[in-house]
Amino acid sequence: MSDKRKIAEAAIVRLSVYNRALGEIEKEGLEIISSDELGDRIGYHATQIRKDLSCFGEFGEVGKGYFVRDLRDAISRILGVDRKWNVALAGAGHLGSALLAYPGFRQRGFNIVAVFDNDLAKIGKKWEGIVIQDTSELAKTVKEQDIRIGIIAVSPQVSQEIVDTLTSCGVRAILNFAPASITVGEGVELRNVDLATELECLSYFLTNEAEVRTEVLRKIKNNNGEGG
Amino acid sequence: MSDKRKIAEAAIVRLSVYNRALGEIEKEGLEIISSDELGDRIGYHATQIRKDLSCFGEFGEVGKGYFVRDLRDAISRILGVDRKWNVALAGAGHLGSALLAYPGFRQRGFNIVAVFDNDLAKIGKKWEGIVIQDTSELAKTVKEQDIRIGIIAVSPQVSQEIVDTLTSCGVRAILNFAPASITVGEGVELRNVDLATELECLSYFLTNEAEVRTEVLRKIKNNNGEGG
DNA sequence: CGGATGTTGTGATAAATTTCACAATATTAG
DNA sequence: CTAATATTGTGAAATTTATCACAACATCCG
Ligand SMILES: NC(=O)c1ccc[n+]([C@@H]2O[C@H](COP(=O)([O-])OP(=O)(O)OC[C@H]3O[C@@H](n4cnc5c(N)ncnc54)[C@H](O)[C@@H]3O)[C@@H](O)[C@H]2O)c1
Ligand SMILES: NC(=O)c1ccc[n+]([C@@H]2O[C@H](COP(=O)([O-])OP(=O)(O)OC[C@H]3O[C@@H](n4cnc5c(N)ncnc54)[C@H](O)[C@@H]3O)[C@@H](O)[C@H]2O)c1
């Protein structure tokens, strides 16, 4: 019943997880997989998977399952990763250089084609085949290179400023690592990755372990699995 | 109505966001803030904030708002970050070294006190004051240093193995950066940060921009703000 | 003092999301 | 061919999460 209007963000995240898992399954040589087995591997209910997919079409074969390759292609199309995206990286510090060095992004179609910094010691240097540019060149480069996605790996103090520069150049998708409350205009998608928040969630869990354990036991009694 | 039993994970993430924002507000010199203004700054409804807090107690003053410092202390206690946590880092590669160099974790009470790798060229070297150890020493070190949290920054192929080693040593909280479907036993909290997934969500948004725009317009008509 | 205003905490309500239940259909074994 | 088994896609139900609405109370200002 292909209807893209009411797709939950959480469902999109799951599609990406399905895709990664399908990649692993493909490597193992499996050609067909049921929603049940896929769910087992990644810790979701089979119905969740089928429901998520049903928003976009029918990809399975009744009584059989899903052709791994076909489903992967379908999800890739849905996510828009059946193409290349040019990405700009702002901030060539510790985190920025790790991101730049990571081959996984390119493998998935995300090419970091430009890196910006304001540190004169870095500007002009070539890292991973890319010359680090001054932030003043951002607007020009974004247009020239058709950059659609920006990654923020600068200090929190300047993150909003860099986001504004990027969006004013037409960048409509931003992945932010700076622990700051960034705001963007409508039509711009912002995703925040706050690693301190991740650790704080773990701290909460450890601090409140007993209560959580009770919850886990209740869930197990109701025959639920691991949550991923 | 202090009842920690039915707290949604999403609420915990928000508490962490509130705390970071309160830190910024404190730096600005503000001593009191209303849920309304806090909500404006971080893109949540005031009622969401009040509801989240109400699970843990009453922290505000009617007609006045919240004392910034007091609320921050209260949330820190709730999250369990009113203390220090010793953290182990597995994988001293590109990402691992960025995490190790980041002062923000220590500032928030998360001390990376041990780093493990299996690369002979790295083992024995001292980074940021910490000697990189062979993974075979993990069990001993985890006990000696009272390590409660593990960070996985090794390749996906070995990530499950390292997770198993950590949990078998009693580590009950794991932050995983490897793009793999990790499973953990009950009583262990696992948080996955998959950066490729983050980019794929942005790709989805860009690919389906038109539909999303419609959605945004609908929300604005209903007086909703930015989602953060 | 008293009315206007501001703000919290929370029960009730609404909305979103997940899970259940099952019809429909394919496959397999005999 | 038929019965047994497997699996999808989806409407309905259940559950979870977010928002609304408002009583209760504090503060401000004349
Ligand atoms: N390193 C981590 O593990 C980690 C973890 C969590 C969050 N973060 C966040 O990610 C961001 C980057 O972290 P990092 O460790 O790489 O910091 P870093 O200090 O190593 O790097 C920041 C880089 O940004 C550059 N920069 C500063 N102002 C700039 C500007 N106006 N224009 C362009 N470039 C500018 C600096 O020159 C530097 O190269 C920070 O906001 C940090 O809080 C990092
Ligand atoms: N670098 C990034 O920006 C980035 C982005 C997304 C995901 N990741 C994921 O994070 C993880 C680390 O990425 P990276 O870029 O730092 O990789 P990397 O190759 O630079 O580092 C991996 C490190 O793990 C060590 N290692 C390998 N096997 C080990 C074992 N059995 N025991 C102990 N150590 C072992 C290696 O020696 C190496 O030092 C990977 O799973 C990667 O997919 C990284």
Side-chain angles (χ1 to χ4, degrees):
Chain A
M1 192 176 264
S2 233
D3 174 0
K4 295 192 193 178
R5 268 165 292 168
K6 292 200 291 181
I7 311 305
E9 188 202 276
I12 303 306
V13 172
R14 285 193 300 267
L15 285 181
S16 173
V17 173
Y18 305 158
N19 230 17
R20 175 170 51 63
L22 288 167
E24 290 165 16
I25 290 159
E26 208 175 5
K27 268 195 204 134
E28 289 172 27
L30 269 172
E31 295 198 340
I32 289 181
I33 194 160
S34 69
S35 57
D36 236 355
E37 194 184 327
L38 179 58
D40 277 354
R41 284 170 176 252
I42 57 182
Y44 289 115
H45 277 206
T47 44
Q48 180 80 82
I49 297 171
R50 296 205 300 273
K51 195 66 150 193
D52 285 344
L53 293 173
S54 78
C55 299
F56 299 99
E58 306 193 0
F59 306 106
E61 313 244 327
V62 177
K64 207 169 184 180
Y66 299 87
F67 283 96
V68 176
R69 162 61 65 101
D70 290 352
L71 184 56
R72 211 153 90 89
D73 287 349
I75 296 178
S76 294
R77 259 194 309 282
I78 294 166
L79 292 174
V81 293
D82 56 342
R83 50 160 288 178
K84 303 284 179 203
W85 292 101
N86 285 346
V87 178
L89 171 64
H94 291 101
L95 183 59
S97 55
L99 298 172
L100 187 59
Y102 183 57
F105 293 144
R106 190 165 303 246
Q107 279 161 24
R108 294 229 193 177
F110 299 97
N111 293 339
I112 297 177
V113 295
V115 181
F116 301 95
D117 208 294
N118 73 344
D119 182 345
L120 293 175
K122 288 172 184 165
I123 293 165
K125 294 265 160 61
K126 199 173 199 171
W127 288 6
E128 310 284 331
I130 297 170
V131 177
I132 298 171
Q133 294 178 286
D134 188 273
T135 315
S136 63
E137 302 188 61
L138 204 151
K140 199 181 101 231
T141 304
V142 162
K143 272 177 202 160
E144 274 175 16
Q145 304 247 47
D146 189 30
I147 288 166
R148 302 294 185 91
I149 297 174
I151 299 180
I152 302 296
V154 296
S155 55
Q157 291 78 29
V158 299
S159 55
Q160 178 72 63
E161 178 190 324
I162 304 283
V163 167
D164 292 344
T165 308
L166 281 166
T167 55
S168 72
C169 298
V171 173
R172 292 282 164 269
I174 289 176
L175 180 56
N176 171 49
F177 288 93
S181 299
I182 305 283
T183 57
V184 291
E186 25 169 312
V188 179
E189 179 79 352
L190 170 68
R191 292 191 69 84
N192 293 299
V193 174
D194 189 333
L195 302 183
T197 291
E198 299 297 329
L199 288 175
E200 291 185 355
C201 288
L202 292 177
S203 166
Y204 173 84
F205 171 82
L206 291 172
T207 306
N208 302 277
E209 213 167 355
E211 283 90 344
V212 177
R213 282 239 175 92
T214 317
E215 187 71 4
V216 167
L217 288 173
R218 189 189 61 74
K219 280 195 178 168
I220 285 162
K221 233 167 88 180
N222 295 341
N223 201 25
N224 291 7
E226 190 63 37
Chain B
M1 192 176 264
S2 231
D3 174 1
K4 297 192 192 178
R5 266 164 294 169
K6 292 199 292 182
I7 310 303
E9 187 201 277
I12 303 305
V13 172
R14 285 193 301 265
L15 285 181
S16 172
V17 173
Y18 304 159
N19 231 16
R20 174 169 52 62
L22 288 167
E24 290 166 16
I25 290 160
E26 208 175 3
K27 268 196 203 134
E28 289 172 25
L30 268 172
E31 295 197 340
I32 289 181
I33 194 162
S34 69
S35 58
D36 235 355
E37 194 183 325
L38 179 57
D40 277 354
R41 283 170 177 252
I42 58 184
Y44 289 117
H45 277 206
T47 45
Q48 179 81 81
I49 297 171
R50 296 204 300 272
K51 195 65 148 200
D52 285 344
L53 293 173
S54 79
C55 301
F56 300 97
E58 306 192 1
F59 306 106
E61 312 245 326
V62 177
K64 209 169 182 180
Y66 299 87
F67 283 95
V68 175
R69 161 62 63 102
D70 290 352
L71 184 56
R72 211 153 90 89
D73 288 349
I75 296 179
S76 294
R77 260 194 309 282
I78 295 165
L79 292 174
V81 293
D82 56 342
R83 51 161 288 179
K84 303 284 180 202
W85 292 101
N86 285 346
V87 178
L89 172 65
H94 290 101
L95 184 59
S97 54
L99 298 171
L100 187 58
Y102 183 58
F105 294 145
R106 189 165 302 244
Q107 281 161 23
R108 294 228 192 182
F110 298 98
N111 293 339
I112 297 177
V113 296
V115 181
F116 301 95
D117 208 293
N118 72 344
D119 182 346
L120 293 174
K122 287 172 184 166
I123 293 166
K125 291 267 159 62
K126 199 173 202 171
W127 287 5
E128 310 284 331
I130 297 169
V131 177
I132 298 172
Q133 294 179 285
D134 189 273
T135 315
S136 62
E137 302 188 58
L138 204 151
K140 199 181 101 231
T141 304
V142 161
K143 271 177 202 160
E144 274 175 14
Q145 305 248 49
D146 189 31
I147 288 166
R148 303 292 186 90
I149 297 173
I151 298 178
I152 303 296
V154 297
S155 56
Q157 292 78 28
V158 299
S159 54
Q160 179 72 62
E161 179 190 324
I162 303 284
V163 167
D164 292 344
T165 308
L166 281 166
T167 56
S168 73
C169 298
V171 173
R172 291 282 165 270
I174 288 175
L175 180 55
N176 170 49
F177 288 94
S181 298
I182 306 284
T183 58
V184 291
E186 27 170 310
V188 179
E189 177 80 352
L190 169 68
R191 292 190 69 84
N192 293 299
V193 174
D194 189 333
L195 302 183
T197 291
E198 298 297 328
L199 288 174
E200 290 185 356
C201 287
L202 293 176
S203 166
Y204 174 84
F205 171 83
L206 291 172
T207 306
N208 303 275
E209 213 167 355
E211 282 91 346
V212 177
R213 283 238 175 93
T214 316
E215 188 71 5
V216 167
L217 288 174
R218 188 188 60 74
K219 280 196 177 169
I220 285 162
K221 235 167 85 179
N222 295 341
N223 203 25
N224 290 8
E226 190 63 36

